Amino acid sequence: MQEDNLGEERNPAVVEYRNPGVAVPVADALTEVLRSGARELLQEAVEAEVGEFIARHRELRDERARQRVVRNGYKPERTIQTGIGEVAVKAPRVRDRQGTIKFSSSILPAYLRRTRSIEELLPWLYLKGLSTGDFSSALTALLGQDAPGLSAATISRLKEVWKEEYGRWSRRDLSGKNFVYIWVDGVHFGVRLEDASQCILVVIGANADGKKELLAMVDGYRESESSWKELLLDLKARGLTSDPKVAIGDGALGFWKALPQVFGTTREQRCWVHKTANVLNKLPKGLQAKGKEALHEIWMAESRVDAEQAFDLFLTTYAAKYPKATECLAKDRDPLLTFYDFPAEHWLHLRTTNPIESTFATVRLRTSKTRGCVARAGLLAMVFKLTKTAEQKWRKLKGHARLGQVIEGVRFKDGLQQEAHRIAA
């Protein structure tokens, strides 16, 4: 992964991998060619991370209208002890002209001085998007033709470990868990699966502390009702007995038919990003900019009354000539406005499936390098590892202190608390 806005995910650090039972010897024959190749790879990764950081802040300006966050040379060169010897690298400096924004590399933390073994490098390379074919070439360039422990069997072993990790995670006990909000989507990747109808069904939840967590990830059949129902029943069977307060997703999902069959009190919130795209696709290109502004007036309104008025205005404006566009909007009227009954601090999170979209935009970039037909278990394992890495950088919900009130059933109107009493169960 568009959360971004890709702000929900930063460049992941090196994925940790431990396999104490396997010793990877390092031969004395490793040459400077090996180390220079590793240095180039690491330097490129750090440079890309800095570039992304500066791009995220490119709109900020100082009092002289200059870009606030800029590159500022390099830190002194340092060496990292790895299983292939010492690798020298220079970390770029980043300067905020006003001194409040700080850059910290997740790939090359300030305290990092050594890695435990070369095998820890393998998942990182693979998960960065190298296909198995590219992987072999990269390892040969880095480690030489005769580097030990780096055969195709090694790669296969790593992928088997990831599959086992995914299997344990997908069976974990959820007793006592309480997810207040959940975001759902069916994610398709640019790779050929064993079954072209397959996609990955994803659920991200926010717990009572406001922390977002990957709740479920399974392969499904065309985002169907039956696939979603099976996923939700599995969550309940493993101990998730409290109904989430709100589920956020695209209106096209079979999820909405499955949801009331498993979590009957969970309210529906349609994603405004998906809905906007769907409505605009039914308008002529020349009207799309104006239409987008009109839709923006609905979901950015300060109150439900104002939103309803903007909603009616859109329908009145476009119904005569473009009934498909207005029908697309009108059919989800109530689920599009659910967020008004929850704290205003949470609206930013509730109006879109950004937590999923931002994460999986990046994951798609990594998996797009994979060539050939991919087995479902292999793709699931790889996407799981990528997503769990991204999860470490997910931010808490804004206004997470309000979640306790939401759980207790305190009423909100237009984002503001209306009553102290709890809603009857």
Side-chain angles (χ1 to χ4, degrees), residues 384-396:
F384 167 72
K385 290 294 291 185
L386 282 166
T387 308
K388 292 298 287 183
T389 299
E391 183 184 66
Q392 300 171 20
K393 301 294 181 179
W394 291 346
R395 299 172 181 172
K396 278 189 172 183

Side-chain angles (χ1 to χ4, degrees), residues 313-325:
L313 179 59
F314 185 96
L315 298 182
T316 302
T317 302
Y318 295 104
K321 288 188 176 182
Y322 310 106
K324 290 185 178 179

Side-chain angles (χ1 to χ4, degrees), residues 70-308:
V70 295
R71 295 180 65 104
N72 188 30
Y74 289 85
K75 296 179 181 179
E77 185 177 88
R78 61 187 168 112
T79 58
I80 308 298
Q81 296 291 333
T82 76
I84 57 173
E86 293 185 345
V87 175
V89 64
K90 290 196 301 183
R93 293 183 188 274
V94 175
R95 176 190 174 197
D96 173 21
R97 298 183 194 275
Q98 295 184 2
T100 57
I101 298 174
K102 304 295 183 183
F103 170 74
S104 179
S105 174
S106 59
I107 295 176
L108 191 66
Y111 58 83
L112 182 66
R113 289 293 181 272
R114 68 180 62 188
T115 59
R116 280 178 287 275
S117 73
I118 186 59
E119 202 157 356
E120 293 189 11
L121 181 62
L122 304 186
W124 182 68
L125 287 172
Y126 193 86
L127 295 175
K128 284 293 182 181
L130 291 171
S131 70
T132 302
D134 290 334
F135 200 93
S136 176
S137 299
L139 293 176
T140 299
L142 287 174
L143 307 176
Q145 294 286 349
D146 301 320
L150 299 176
S151 64
T154 301
I155 311 306
S156 297
R157 183 175 69 248
L158 285 172
K159 290 196 284 187
E160 288 303 316
V161 170
W162 300 338
K163 291 176 186 178
E164 291 173 6
E165 290 179 7
Y166 168 75
R168 289 192 299 271
W169 174 84
S170 63
R171 296 188 297 270
R172 72 198 186 285
D173 185 14
L174 297 174
S175 299
K177 293 274 190 177
N178 186 355
F179 290 95
V180 188
Y181 304 136
I182 60 173
W183 296 264
V184 302
D185 203 358
V187 183
H188 297 263
F189 294 92
V191 296
R192 289 189 293 120
L193 293 169
E194 295 167 314
D195 184 343
S197 302
Q198 286 178 313
C199 66
I200 292 182
L201 308 183
V202 180
V203 181
I204 291 176
N207 63 24
D209 295 324
K211 182 180 179 181
K212 293 193 287 291
E213 177 182 329
L214 181 63
L215 179 55
M217 177 184 289
V218 301
D219 57 344
Y221 182 78
R222 294 189 184 279
E223 308 174 33
S224 66
E225 174 189 348
S226 60
S227 294
W228 279 110
K229 184 177 180 180
E230 182 179 354
L231 181 155
L232 295 175
L233 287 173
D234 178 66
L235 291 177
K236 200 161 193 174
R238 288 191 282 120
L240 190 65
T241 55
S242 297
D243 290 12
K245 297 299 182 181
V246 183
I248 305 98
D250 177 12
L253 300 178
F255 170 83
W256 302 113
K257 292 182 179 180
L259 178 64
Q261 301 177 55
V262 183
F263 296 118
T265 66
T266 301
R267 297 187 63 184
E268 302 177 11
Q269 170 65 53
R270 296 294 189 270
C271 171
W272 269 101
V273 171
H274 284 92
K275 180 57 69 177
T276 298
N278 292 338
V279 172
L280 295 182
N281 282 340
K282 294 172 175 57
L283 290 177
K285 287 189 177 181
L287 290 177
Q288 288 183 2
K290 185 177 179 180
K292 185 175 182 179
E293 290 181 8
L295 292 171
H296 188 271
E297 291 296 321
I298 301 174
W299 60 267
M300 287 298 291
E302 289 293 322
S303 69
R304 183 186 286 267
V305 170
D306 291 340
E308 295 278 9

